[in-house]
Amino acid sequence: MIDNFKPVSRHSGSRLHTNTNDSHPTTGQEGLKELDPRPHAFTPQDPPHQPEPTHEPEHPTPKKKRFSLRGLIRKRSLTKKEWLIFALVLILITAGGVGYWYKFIRKPVPVAQKVNLATKKKPEKPTTEPSRLTGVQVDPELNKLPITGIMIENSPDARPQSGLKDGGVIFEAVAEGGITRFLTLYEEARPDYVGPIRSARPYFLDWILPFEGSLAHVGGSPDALSQIKALHVRDLDQFANSGSYTRVSTRYAPHNVYTSLSRLLDLENKKGFSTSNFTGFTRKAESAAKTPTATSIDLKISGFLYNAHYAYDPSNNDYKRSEGGKPHVDERSKTQLSPKVVIALVMPKRTASDGIHTIYNTLGSGAMFVFQDGIVTPGTWHKDDRKAMFSFVGSDGKVLALNPGQTWISIVGEASSVTYK
């Protein structure tokens, strides 16, 4: 340190004098330059130079550090607190950017129209459809099966029968001697035991021809057998196709011939009767009457053993059948026969010239009574040709639609043969 430095007068030419205590020599301008390292000469106008202290204060005041993100990023190792600050700042920046993009930059994505997409889809095939024979919902493949008709006997020795409960449409008429017989039509149903099977009659041909059905029978009257050939009825006569039938030991002849639908279908396929082309009866949805008007029905078809009685069952909207004063039951299931629709057709009948067989006037028109939903609907039946389907017309002149399910059609000689309450 230079404690006693004196300025040099610019007008004095004398040498610079220094204190003898100084440790530095004072020799002209060189000494001056050594003492004053500044590039310019010291002048009186300049403020006195304050030399800096040669040592730091014993207790320096700590400087406050300013937070710098750049410095934080450049720093190689961060403290836990700094990491938290860095993460928080990064989250805030990201959230702000996303929010700004979502509100000001993002373009709304157009929503696909579901209706338009649906219209492009191909409609799915229905899993079921109404049966052509009964109107009940069935697998569409079953509607491709042929109609199979079976002549089932109804003498007291033939009761109880098997397979009647599975029939889709059943025609009931007198064969001879007052004994009734059934023409039972099947399509979607496949009972494995049907019988006993008996012979054919000419008027039953008029009822199976509109369905283009095959006819399973054991022989027939001479007139019926000749007409089967003349009308090209699909013939499944047991006499010519015995392998498709069985004579059981539990019944004595001629009440012991039985078959199954699977065996008859195999026979039909072999003969080329793989399907049937027809239009069945008009059908509707069931609609049970709130106040039934016909709950007890009696049909006088022949004598006491063959007359039919029906009791309406509102819980199932069907008709429990009895004949000969007893419930008419299925042989194997022991269940009572219960058609959904009961129809009585009035057809005049007479005895053939042989004095044995019956003849019905099956063509033209006549009175009828249709029982369904607990009520009766009188009307008129029409059939113009042997191959034409029956038309059931109500008193209002409109075709009468029938409930889905088994339809039982009984032939009576007079309108007075039908009573109900």
Side-chain angles (χ1 to χ4, degrees), residues 9 126 132 147 157 176 179 314 363 398 401:
S9 174
R132 298 182 299 164
I147 297 297
D157 293 329
E176 64 268 338
I179 302 174
L363 302 182
K398 296 181 180 180

Side-chain angles (χ1 to χ4, degrees), residues 220-242:
S221 66
D223 197 15
L225 294 177
S226 64
Q227 290 188 34
I228 287 173
K229 292 181 180 180
L231 296 170
H232 302 289
V233 177
R234 296 178 172 184
D235 193 9
L236 304 179
D237 192 348
Q238 186 266 342
F239 288 155
N241 306 279
S242 59

Side-chain angles (χ1 to χ4, degrees), residues 24-70:
H24 299 283
T26 56
T27 55
Q29 293 296 326
E30 293 179 0
L32 182 61
K33 290 179 180 180
E34 184 177 356
L35 292 175
D36 187 4
R38 292 177 301 176
H40 58 277
F42 182 82
T43 59
Q45 289 81 4
D46 295 326
H49 176 68
Q50 299 294 332
E52 295 180 0
T54 58
H55 62 276
E56 296 293 331
E58 294 183 1
H59 301 286
T61 303
K63 294 183 180 181
K64 292 184 179 180
K65 296 182 180 181
R66 295 181 62 186
F67 175 77
S68 171
L69 182 61
R70 180 180 298 175

Side-chain angles (χ1 to χ4, degrees), residues 69-252:
L69 182 61
R70 180 180 298 175
L72 189 63
I73 294 173
R74 289 179 177 177
K75 196 171 183 180
R76 292 187 178 182
S77 61
L78 303 178
T79 65
K80 184 175 182 181
K81 182 177 180 181
E82 289 172 335
W83 270 116
L84 292 175
I85 295 173
F86 178 78
L88 180 60
V89 172
L90 186 62
I91 291 172
L92 292 175
I93 293 173
T94 303
V98 171
Y100 183 85
W101 171 84
Y102 188 86
K103 187 171 183 180
F104 298 104
I105 301 176
R106 181 187 71 94
K107 294 182 179 180
V109 178
V111 179
Q113 297 294 328
K114 294 183 178 180
V115 176
N116 293 338
L117 291 176
T119 55
K120 294 181 179 179
K121 293 182 179 179
K122 292 183 179 180
E124 296 181 359
K125 283 187 176 182
T127 55
T128 63
E129 63 185 25
S131 163
R132 298 182 299 164
L133 183 64
T134 64
V136 300
Q137 292 295 314
V138 299
D139 187 314
E141 292 299 314
L142 295 177
N143 264 335
K144 299 176 183 179
L145 294 174
I147 297 297
T148 305
I150 303 177
M151 297 298 309
I152 298 180
E153 186 185 359
N154 192 34
S155 67
D157 293 329
R159 301 174 188 174
Q161 299 93 341
S162 295
L164 283 175
K165 71 179 183 62
D166 301 304
V169 176
I170 300 174
F171 290 92
E172 179 181 21
V174 174
E176 64 268 338
I179 302 174
T180 55
R181 193 160 295 178
F182 308 119
L183 168 62
T184 308
L185 306 183
Y186 302 88
E187 186 177 35
E188 65 266 19
R190 304 285 291 273
D192 59 0
Y193 192 65
V194 183
I197 304 170
R198 289 299 299 273
S199 57
R201 296 294 180 269
Y203 37 90
F204 287 109
L205 305 182
D206 294 350
W207 302 331
I208 195 172
L209 280 170
F211 293 91
E212 199 178 36
S214 304
L215 182 61
H217 60 104
V218 183
S221 66
D223 197 15
L225 294 177
S226 64
Q227 290 188 34
I228 287 173
K229 292 181 180 180
L231 296 170
H232 302 289
V233 177
R234 296 178 172 184
D235 193 9
L236 304 179
D237 192 348
Q238 186 266 342
F239 288 155
N241 306 279
S242 59
S244 299
Y245 299 83
T246 299
R247 287 192 178 269
V248 300
S249 59
T250 54
R251 300 279 180 98
Y252 62 87

